[in-house]
Amino acid sequence: MSKNDIAVRYRTAGGAIVTVYGSHFAYLAECGGCRERSHLSRDHKRWAQTHAARCTALPR
């Protein structure tokens, strides 16, 4: 899975970016501030949006 295949991005309250990347059925979400990642069994876009709403980490 390439990080170049970005599906969607959300900005956190602290200014970091939560990115959902991948293609077809292999997606992963990662926060660019706190570095937390979604788990494979989750809805990655929903996780990313929820995480962005509550994360106050600054961009790294």
Side-chain angles (χ1 to χ4, degrees):
M1 176 172 17
S2 171
K3 287 192 176 188
N4 293 330
D5 298 331
I6 295 172
V8 66
R9 286 184 169 162
Y10 299 96
R11 185 172 303 275
T12 68
I17 302 293
V18 181
T19 306
V20 178
Y21 55 90
S23 59
H24 303 294
F25 299 104
Y27 287 95
L28 181 64
E30 180 180 32
C31 180
C34 69
R35 301 289 187 209
E36 188 175 340
R37 290 182 171 194
S38 66
H39 298 286
L40 294 175
S41 61
R42 294 190 179 177
D43 178 359
H44 303 293
K45 289 182 183 178
R46 182 178 296 157
W47 179 91
Q49 187 173 20
T50 302
H51 182 80
R54 65 177 169 77
C55 182
T56 58
L58 297 173
R60 290 186 184 209

